[in-house]
Amino acid sequence: MTSYPDFPAGASSPLPPVGCPAHQAALPLADIDAHPDPREMYRTMRAEHGPVVPVTLDGVFGWLVIGFGETKRVMREGVLFSRSPRPWKPRGPVPADWSLALHTQERPNALFATGEEHTRLRGALTRSLGRTRPGTVRRYTRDRANRLIDEFCETGSADLVAHYAAQLPLMVLMRIFGFSEQAALRLVTALPALLDGGDEARQANEQIMNVIEAHIAYRRRELGADAIAWLIEEDTARSAQEIARSNEEIREQVWLTLASAMGAMGNWISNGLERQVNSVRMRNDVNHGLADIEGIMRATLWEQPPLQRVIGRWATRDTRLGEQDIAAGDMLVLDLAAVNQDPCMGSDAERAAMAAHSEANLPYGAGEHECPFPDLAEAIAVTAVDCLLQRLPDVRLADGASLTWRPSVIVRALESLPVRFAPTARSVPVSEVPLHA
């Protein structure tokens, strides 16, 4: 298995030094997340620093971009703000055990690639996943959702994170890639640790890679009708060395997609369900047809983006962003949770109205690294919430339950979502929907 470096070799830069004013004013990102009122914290940060704020991530310096216009600029100007960490010149030593190392390591997938390499890798992924019809994805999501609900519907209570949202999108993607259900269950436990960082993330990453590599090897021997088989069909590898390199790329592409399913779609579903179970009015509006799930889920994406921060972009030359001078090699972190609160977007009411329009939303990204599958993601998330509310129309937050959010600088994720509802019968078993039907 390929070993990726924890940080760039020779990682230090004299511009600017650790003692520079920006570095001295840097705010630990953990302090922002620990603040009882993040909105007030962001208002204070804007007043002091503008739309770009000096921060530290577990001791490592970076720029937190909290302005809508500035975030969109960074996303769209991929040459100036590279998605590859190769230009990174940290302003000080990066600890060998840095908790966020996995998120700054260059990997051979479309997320970190640039230029022609990015076009090639992204194209292969979009073509393979694009062979699965949207209607089939929705039908399979509903089938799998009903299976998960059947496991707890007779009990009258459940944790909608552990028992539902954390599993469903991953299982749908695992089916698209052709994994067995046993492999899917292994990944359900490993992926959350990957997103949280630290030593457990390294162990989880190794477990995830082993599962993916085993399935690629199987598909090399026995081709079938799934997205991994279609990725294999795409490549022209012939020699043992070429096949090994191709396998690594396929593994990384699958890793990227599954991590996105867990970190983005899973948390999007749980965040959307949290709004439903916490609000009798909203739940009644849905049950009586006064509100639609699509609009609610788009508003959730705006107000509680599941991927709250993106680490990172790296400046390829000296530039100015917002009110800050960015040095070549500086790391930038895009704060999507703060971006949608930017006063430049208007009043609270105006921002709420914009939430229904996907073009105003940045959680899907912008520019060449924009999410290639927004329709697929929305189909899975909307179907998941719709199916659960149809099966359990009176679902509500469990009495006395207090909600806590996982300590992650990257995702906006509930630890759990304990609910109660009137016990109901299991659904009639639904036969497996062929992937290419």
Side-chain angles (χ1 to χ4, degrees):
M1 181 183 298
T2 302
S3 175
Y4 298 99
D6 285 343
F7 53 89
S12 63
S13 172
L15 282 175
V18 173
C20 77
H23 200 287
Q24 291 174 341
L27 179 69
L29 205 55
D31 289 0
I32 300 175
D33 292 334
H35 197 278
D37 185 357
R39 288 177 178 265
E40 178 60 32
M41 190 71 165
Y42 285 125
R43 282 193 288 270
T44 301
M45 291 161 60
R46 291 182 204 279
E48 183 174 351
H49 300 284
V52 182
V53 182
V55 296
T56 56
L57 295 81
D58 199 9
V60 177
F61 181 81
W63 296 101
L64 187 69
V65 186
I66 62 175
F68 183 90
E70 290 74 18
T71 297
K72 207 164 197 177
R73 180 191 169 197
V74 171
M75 287 179 172
R76 287 181 168 175
E77 296 186 18
V79 175
L80 177 57
F81 301 104
S82 176
R83 194 62 185 86
S84 167
R86 291 181 186 179
W88 191 20
K89 297 177 181 177
R91 297 191 180 192
V94 178
D97 60 349
W98 188 44
S99 62
L100 296 170
L102 280 173
H103 300 277
T104 58
Q105 295 168 356
E106 187 169 31
R107 307 174 72 130
N109 60 41
L111 181 64
F112 292 103
T114 58
E116 293 182 0
E117 185 73 353
H118 173 262
T119 301
R120 181 180 67 83
L121 291 171
R122 181 185 172 101
L125 188 60
T126 53
R127 285 190 295 273
S128 63
L129 287 177
R131 290 175 67 170
T132 307
R133 296 178 181 177
T136 300
V137 173
R138 284 190 291 271
R139 289 195 301 274
Y140 187 76
T141 302
R142 187 168 295 277
D143 174 51
R144 182 59 55 146
N146 279 319
R147 291 198 211 178
L148 288 173
I149 295 169
D150 278 351
E151 294 179 7
F152 56 77
C153 66
E154 296 175 314
T155 68
S157 64
D159 173 4
L160 292 185
V161 172
H163 300 153
Y164 192 70
Q167 298 187 48
L168 180 55
L170 184 58
M171 287 182 168
V172 174
L173 267 295
M174 291 287 282
R175 174 64 181 89
I176 292 174
F177 282 118
F179 289 96
S180 67
E181 292 192 18
Q182 290 78 10
L185 291 174
R186 289 179 64 191
L187 293 182
V188 163
T189 61
L191 276 164
L194 177 69
L195 296 171
D196 287 342
D199 290 339
E200 291 186 3
R202 298 173 190 273
Q203 297 172 8
N205 187 62
E206 183 175 354
Q207 181 179 350
I208 292 164
M209 289 305 186
N210 289 338
V211 172
I212 297 173
E213 285 176 348
H215 187 55
I216 293 172
Y218 171 71
R219 276 289 171 250
R220 287 284 183 189
R221 300 190 303 269
E222 301 284 343
L223 279 179
D226 61 52
I228 283 184
W230 298 330
L231 281 168
I232 291 173
E233 288 178 9
E234 284 261 342
D235 74 62
T236 58
R238 294 294 179 267
S239 68
Q241 184 176 9
E242 289 175 339
I243 290 174
R245 184 167 59 249
S246 172
N247 285 351
E248 181 183 29
E249 287 184 355
I250 293 172
R251 182 195 70 193
E252 291 291 335
Q253 297 278 66
V254 176
W255 174 92
L256 171 61
T257 308
L258 295 180
S260 298
M262 190 70 177
M265 280 190 284
N267 294 330
W268 186 13
I269 292 168
S270 62
N271 292 352
L273 287 171
E274 183 268 333
R275 300 181 73 202
Q276 291 292 308
V277 304
N278 247 336
S279 171
V280 174
R281 180 188 60 79
M282 186 175 293
R283 192 165 60 247
N284 287 339
D285 284 350
V286 170
N287 290 340
H288 292 91
L290 301 177
D292 63 273
I293 302 297
E294 290 88 349
I296 289 172
M297 292 305 287
R298 287 173 184 166
T300 300
L301 199 61
W302 177 278
E303 296 167 10
Q304 290 188 359
L307 188 64
Q308 64 178 347
R309 297 192 184 100
V310 178
I311 305 173
R313 294 291 200 279
W314 288 270
T316 58
R317 59 176 173 79
D318 293 350
T319 189
R320 189 164 180 81
L321 184 68
E323 301 170 15
Q324 305 288 358
D325 291 318
I326 310 298
D330 274 357
M331 177 174 65
L332 296 96
V333 179
L334 309 182
D335 195 319
L336 303 180
V339 161
N340 291 337
Q341 301 171 27
D342 192 334
C344 78
M345 303 296 288
S347 65
D348 287 347
E350 289 170 327
R351 290 198 296 271
M354 294 178 69
H357 302 286
S358 58
E359 64 269 17
N361 251 323
L362 289 182
Y364 287 126
E368 66 176 3
H369 283 279
E370 184 176 5
C371 173
F373 308 109
D375 293 340
L376 184 148
E378 183 168 312
I380 294 174
V382 169
T383 302
V385 174
D386 182 57
C387 187
L388 186 126
L389 294 179
Q390 284 190 25
R391 292 282 306 276
L392 310 173
D394 66 334
V395 64
R396 62 198 181 278
L397 191 67
D399 296 339
S402 59
L403 301 181
T404 58
W405 301 89
R406 288 171 55 192
S408 172
V409 302
I410 299 170
V411 296
R412 175 68 170 170
L414 283 165
E415 292 274 11
S416 63
L417 183 56
V419 297
R420 297 200 50 91
F421 48 86
T424 186
R426 295 168 61 91
S427 65
V428 177
V430 180
S431 60
E432 187 85 354
V433 178
L435 180 64
H436 52 282

